[in-house]
Coordinates of all heavy atoms in Angstrom, one line a residue:
T5 N -16.3 38.0 -16.6 CA -14.8 38.2 -16.8 C -14.5 39.6 -17.0 O -15.2 40.3 -17.8 CB -14.4 37.4 -18.1 OG1 -14.6 36.0 -17.9 CG2 -12.9 37.6 -18.3
K6 N -13.6 40.2 -16.3 CA -13.2 41.5 -16.5 C -12.1 41.6 -17.6 O -11.2 40.8 -17.6 CB -12.6 42.1 -15.2 CG -12.2 43.6 -15.3 CD -11.7 44.2 -14.0 CE -11.3 45.6 -14.2 NZ -10.7 46.2 -12.9
C7 N -12.3 42.5 -18.5 CA -11.4 42.6 -19.7 C -10.6 43.9 -19.6 O -11.2 45.0 -19.3 CB -12.2 42.6 -21.0 SG -13.0 41.0 -21.2
E8 N -9.3 43.9 -19.7 CA -8.5 45.0 -19.6 C -8.3 45.9 -20.8 O -7.9 47.0 -20.8 CB -7.1 44.6 -19.0 CG -7.1 43.9 -17.7 CD -7.5 44.8 -16.5 OE1 -7.5 46.0 -16.7 OE2 -7.7 44.2 -15.5
N9 N -8.6 45.3 -22.0 CA -8.3 46.0 -23.2 C -9.1 45.3 -24.4 O -9.7 44.2 -24.2 CB -6.8 46.0 -23.5 CG -6.2 44.6 -23.4 OD1 -6.6 43.7 -24.1 ND2 -5.2 44.4 -22.6
P10 N -9.1 45.9 -25.5 CA -9.9 45.2 -26.6 C -9.4 43.9 -27.1 O -10.1 43.1 -27.6 CB -9.8 46.3 -27.8 CG -9.5 47.6 -27.1 CD -8.7 47.2 -25.9
Y11 N -8.0 43.7 -26.9 CA -7.5 42.3 -27.2 C -8.2 41.3 -26.4 O -8.7 40.2 -26.9 CB -6.0 42.3 -26.9 CG -5.1 43.3 -27.5 CD1 -4.9 44.5 -26.9 CD2 -4.5 43.1 -28.8 CE1 -4.0 45.5 -27.5 CE2 -3.7 44.0 -29.4 CZ -3.5 45.2 -28.7 OH -2.7 46.2 -29.3
E12 N -8.3 41.5 -25.1 CA -8.9 40.5 -24.2 C -10.4 40.4 -24.5 O -10.9 39.2 -24.5 CB -8.7 40.9 -22.7 CG -7.3 40.7 -22.2 CD -7.2 41.0 -20.7 OE1 -8.2 41.2 -20.1 OE2 -6.0 40.9 -20.2
L13 N -11.0 41.5 -24.8 CA -12.4 41.4 -25.1 C -12.7 40.6 -26.3 O -13.6 39.7 -26.3 CB -13.0 42.8 -25.3 CG -14.5 43.0 -25.4 CD1 -15.3 42.3 -24.3 CD2 -14.9 44.4 -25.5
C14 N -12.0 40.8 -27.4 CA -12.1 40.0 -28.6 C -11.8 38.6 -28.3 O -12.6 37.7 -28.8 CB -11.2 40.5 -29.7 SG -11.7 42.1 -30.4
D15 N -10.8 38.3 -27.6 CA -10.4 36.9 -27.4 C -11.4 36.2 -26.6 O -11.7 35.0 -26.8 CB -9.0 36.9 -26.7 CG -7.9 37.4 -27.6 OD1 -8.1 37.5 -28.8 OD2 -6.8 37.6 -27.1
N16 N -12.0 36.8 -25.6 CA -13.0 36.2 -24.7 C -14.3 35.9 -25.4 O -15.0 35.0 -25.1 CB -13.2 37.0 -23.4 CG -12.1 36.7 -22.4 OD1 -12.1 35.6 -21.8 ND2 -11.2 37.6 -22.1
I17 N -14.6 36.8 -26.3 CA -15.8 36.6 -27.1 C -15.6 35.6 -28.2 O -16.5 35.0 -28.8 CB -16.3 38.0 -27.7 CG1 -16.7 39.0 -26.6 CG2 -17.6 37.7 -28.6 CD1 -17.0 40.3 -27.2
D18 N -14.3 35.4 -28.6 CA -13.8 34.5 -29.6 C -14.2 35.1 -31.0 O -14.8 34.5 -31.9 CB -14.4 33.1 -29.5 CG -13.7 32.1 -30.4 OD1 -12.5 32.4 -30.8 OD2 -14.2 31.1 -30.6
I19 N -13.8 36.4 -31.2 CA -13.8 37.0 -32.5 C -12.4 37.5 -32.9 O -11.6 37.7 -32.0 CB -14.8 38.2 -32.6 CG1 -14.4 39.3 -31.5 CG2 -16.3 37.7 -32.4 CD1 -15.3 40.5 -31.6
S20 N -12.2 37.7 -34.2 CA -10.9 38.1 -34.6 C -10.7 39.6 -34.1 O -11.6 40.4 -34.0 CB -10.8 38.1 -36.1 OG -11.7 38.9 -36.7
R21 N -9.4 39.9 -33.9 CA -9.1 41.3 -33.5 C -9.1 42.2 -34.7 O -8.6 41.8 -35.8 CB -7.7 41.3 -32.9 CG -7.5 40.5 -31.6 CD -6.1 40.4 -31.1 NE -6.0 39.7 -29.9 CZ -4.8 39.5 -29.3 NH1 -3.7 40.0 -29.8 NH2 -4.8 38.9 -28.1
P22 N -9.7 43.4 -34.6 CA -9.7 44.3 -35.8 C -8.2 44.6 -36.2 O -7.3 44.7 -35.4 CB -10.4 45.6 -35.2 CG -11.2 45.1 -34.1 CD -10.5 43.9 -33.5
D23 N -8.0 44.9 -37.4 CA -6.7 45.2 -38.0 C -6.1 46.4 -37.3 O -4.8 46.5 -37.2 CB -6.8 45.4 -39.5 CG -7.1 44.1 -40.2 OD1 -6.9 43.1 -39.7 OD2 -7.6 44.3 -41.4
D24 N -6.9 47.4 -36.9 CA -6.3 48.6 -36.4 C -6.3 48.7 -34.8 O -6.1 49.7 -34.2 CB -7.1 49.8 -36.9 CG -8.5 49.9 -36.4 OD1 -9.0 48.8 -35.9 OD2 -9.2 50.9 -36.6
I25 N -6.4 47.5 -34.2 CA -6.5 47.5 -32.8 C -5.3 48.0 -32.1 O -5.3 48.6 -31.0 CB -6.9 46.1 -32.3 CG1 -7.5 46.1 -30.8 CG2 -5.8 45.1 -32.4 CD1 -8.1 44.8 -30.4
F26 N -4.1 47.7 -32.6 CA -2.8 48.1 -32.0 C -2.7 49.6 -32.1 O -2.2 50.3 -31.2 CB -1.6 47.5 -32.7 CG -0.4 47.8 -32.0 CD1 0.0 47.0 -30.9 CD2 0.5 48.8 -32.4 CE1 1.2 47.3 -30.2 CE2 1.6 49.1 -31.8 CZ 2.0 48.3 -30.7
A27 N -3.2 50.2 -33.2 CA -3.1 51.7 -33.3 C -4.0 52.3 -32.3 O -3.6 53.4 -31.8 CB -3.6 52.1 -34.7
M28 N -5.1 51.7 -31.9 CA -5.9 52.2 -30.9 C -5.3 52.2 -29.5 O -5.4 53.2 -28.7 CB -7.3 51.5 -30.9 CG -8.2 51.9 -29.8 SD -9.6 50.8 -29.6 CE -10.3 50.8 -31.2
T29 N -4.7 51.1 -29.2 CA -4.2 50.9 -27.8 C -2.7 51.1 -27.6 O -2.2 51.2 -26.5 CB -4.5 49.5 -27.3 OG1 -3.8 48.6 -28.1 CG2 -6.0 49.2 -27.5
Q30 N -1.9 51.1 -28.7 CA -0.5 51.1 -28.7 C 0.0 50.0 -27.8 O 1.1 50.1 -27.2 CB 0.1 52.5 -28.1 CG -0.1 53.6 -29.1 CD -1.5 54.2 -29.1 OE1 -2.0 54.6 -28.1 NE2 -2.0 54.3 -30.3
G31 N -0.8 48.9 -27.8 CA -0.3 47.7 -27.1 C -0.5 47.8 -25.6 O 0.0 46.9 -24.9
R32 N -1.1 48.8 -25.1 CA -1.1 49.0 -23.6 C -2.1 48.0 -23.0 O -3.3 47.9 -23.4 CB -1.6 50.4 -23.3 CG -0.6 51.5 -23.8 CD -0.9 52.8 -23.1 NE -2.2 53.3 -23.3 CZ -2.7 54.0 -24.3 NH1 -1.9 54.2 -25.4 NH2 -3.9 54.4 -24.4
Y33 N -1.6 47.3 -22.0 CA -2.4 46.2 -21.4 C -3.6 46.8 -20.6 O -4.7 46.2 -20.7 CB -1.5 45.4 -20.4 CG -2.3 44.3 -19.7 CD1 -2.5 43.1 -20.4 CD2 -2.8 44.4 -18.4 CE1 -3.2 42.1 -19.8 CE2 -3.5 43.4 -17.8 CZ -3.7 42.2 -18.5 OH -4.4 41.2 -17.9
N34 N -3.4 47.8 -19.9 CA -4.5 48.4 -19.0 C -5.2 49.5 -19.7 O -5.5 50.6 -19.2 CB -3.9 48.9 -17.7 CG -3.4 47.8 -16.8 OD1 -4.0 46.7 -16.7 ND2 -2.2 48.0 -16.2
F35 N -5.5 49.3 -21.0 CA -6.1 50.4 -21.8 C -7.4 50.9 -21.2 O -7.6 52.1 -21.2 CB -6.3 49.8 -23.2 CG -6.9 50.9 -24.2 CD1 -6.2 51.9 -24.7 CD2 -8.3 50.8 -24.6 CE1 -6.7 52.9 -25.5 CE2 -8.8 51.7 -25.4 CZ -8.0 52.7 -25.9
Y36 N -8.3 50.0 -20.8 CA -9.6 50.5 -20.3 C -9.4 51.2 -19.0 O -10.1 52.3 -18.8 CB -10.6 49.3 -20.1 CG -11.0 48.6 -21.4 CD1 -11.2 47.2 -21.4 CD2 -11.3 49.3 -22.5 CE1 -11.6 46.6 -22.6 CE2 -11.7 48.7 -23.7 CZ -11.8 47.3 -23.7 OH -12.2 46.7 -24.9
E37 N -8.6 50.7 -18.1 CA -8.4 51.4 -16.8 C -7.8 52.8 -17.0 O -8.1 53.7 -16.3 CB -7.5 50.5 -15.9 CG -8.1 49.3 -15.4 CD -9.1 49.5 -14.3 OE1 -9.3 50.7 -13.9 OE2 -9.7 48.6 -13.8
E38 N -6.9 52.9 -18.0 CA -6.3 54.2 -18.3 C -7.4 55.2 -18.8 O -7.2 56.4 -18.7 CB -5.2 54.1 -19.4 CG -4.0 53.3 -18.9 CD -3.0 53.0 -20.0 OE1 -3.1 53.7 -21.1 OE2 -2.2 52.1 -19.8
Q39 N -8.5 54.7 -19.3 CA -9.6 55.5 -19.6 C -10.6 55.6 -18.5 O -11.8 56.1 -18.7 CB -10.3 55.0 -20.9 CG -9.4 54.8 -22.1 CD -8.9 56.1 -22.6 OE1 -9.6 57.0 -22.8 NE2 -7.6 56.2 -22.9
D40 N -10.2 55.2 -17.3 CA -11.1 55.2 -16.1 C -12.4 54.5 -16.4 O -13.5 54.9 -16.0 CB -11.5 56.7 -15.7 CG -10.2 57.4 -15.3 OD1 -9.4 56.8 -14.6 OD2 -10.1 58.6 -15.7
T41 N -12.3 53.3 -17.1 CA -13.4 52.6 -17.5 C -13.2 51.1 -17.1 O -12.1 50.6 -17.3 CB -13.6 52.6 -19.1 OG1 -13.7 54.0 -19.4 CG2 -14.8 51.9 -19.5
K42 N -14.3 50.5 -16.7 CA -14.2 49.0 -16.3 C -15.1 48.3 -17.3 O -16.3 48.7 -17.5 CB -14.7 48.8 -14.9 CG -13.7 49.3 -13.9 CD -14.2 49.0 -12.5 CE -13.1 49.3 -11.4 NZ -12.7 50.7 -11.4
V43 N -14.6 47.2 -17.9 CA -15.3 46.5 -18.9 C -15.4 45.0 -18.5 O -14.4 44.4 -18.2 CB -14.6 46.6 -20.3 CG1 -15.3 45.8 -21.4 CG2 -14.5 48.1 -20.7
Y44 N -16.6 44.5 -18.5 CA -16.9 43.2 -18.1 C -17.6 42.4 -19.2 O -18.3 43.0 -20.0 CB -17.8 43.1 -16.9 CG -17.2 43.9 -15.7 CD1 -17.5 45.2 -15.5 CD2 -16.3 43.3 -14.8 CE1 -17.0 46.0 -14.4 CE2 -15.8 44.0 -13.7 CZ -16.1 45.3 -13.5 OH -15.6 46.0 -12.5
L45 N -17.4 41.1 -19.2 CA -18.1 40.3 -20.2 C -18.9 39.2 -19.5 O -18.3 38.4 -18.7 CB -17.1 39.6 -21.2 CG -17.7 38.7 -22.3 CD1 -18.5 39.6 -23.3 CD2 -16.7 37.9 -23.0
W46 N -20.2 39.2 -19.7 CA -21.0 38.0 -19.2 C -21.0 36.9 -20.2 O -21.2 37.2 -21.4 CB -22.4 38.4 -18.9 CG -23.3 37.3 -18.4 CD1 -23.5 36.9 -17.1 CD2 -24.0 36.3 -19.2 NE1 -24.3 35.8 -17.0 CE2 -24.6 35.4 -18.3 CE3 -24.2 36.2 -20.6 CZ2 -25.4 34.3 -18.7 CZ3 -24.9 35.1 -21.0 CH2 -25.5 34.2 -20.1
S47 N -20.8 35.7 -19.8 CA -20.9 34.6 -20.7 C -21.6 33.4 -20.0 O -21.5 33.3 -18.8 CB -19.6 34.1 -21.3 OG -18.8 33.7 -20.2
R48 N -22.3 32.6 -20.7 CA -23.0 31.5 -20.1 C -22.0 30.4 -19.6 O -22.3 29.7 -18.6 CB -23.9 30.9 -21.2 CG -24.6 29.6 -20.7 CD -25.7 29.2 -21.7 NE -26.9 30.0 -21.4 CZ -28.0 29.9 -22.2 NH1 -28.0 29.1 -23.3 NH2 -29.0 30.7 -22.0

C-alpha cells in the first residue's frame, strides 16, 4: 500500500496518530510526495 502522509501510514498500520502529527504536516495530503519521498507499507 502506498501511503501519502503520516495519517495514512498510522491508519494502515492501525496505530493511533501522534498528537503533533498535524503540526508536522499542516494537514497536507501529499506530504511525502512534497518531500520527494515515496512511502510504502507491506502487510500480510
Side-chain angles (χ1 to χ4, degrees):
T5 299
K6 185 179 180 184
C7 299
E8 300 290 349
N9 52 57
Y11 303 92
E12 289 188 3
L13 186 56
C14 288
D15 293 348
N16 278 291
I17 299 173
D18 194 18
I19 58 174
S20 61
R21 299 172 177 181
D23 292 338
D24 64 347
I25 197 168
F26 187 83
M28 177 191 302
T29 66
Q30 287 79 54
R32 298 195 304 276
Y33 180 79
N34 294 316
F35 180 74
Y36 294 142
E37 289 285 0
E38 291 173 18
Q39 303 294 316
D40 298 318
T41 303
K42 291 181 170 62
V43 178
Y44 304 91
L45 181 70
W46 179 92
S47 65
R48 173 168 284 174

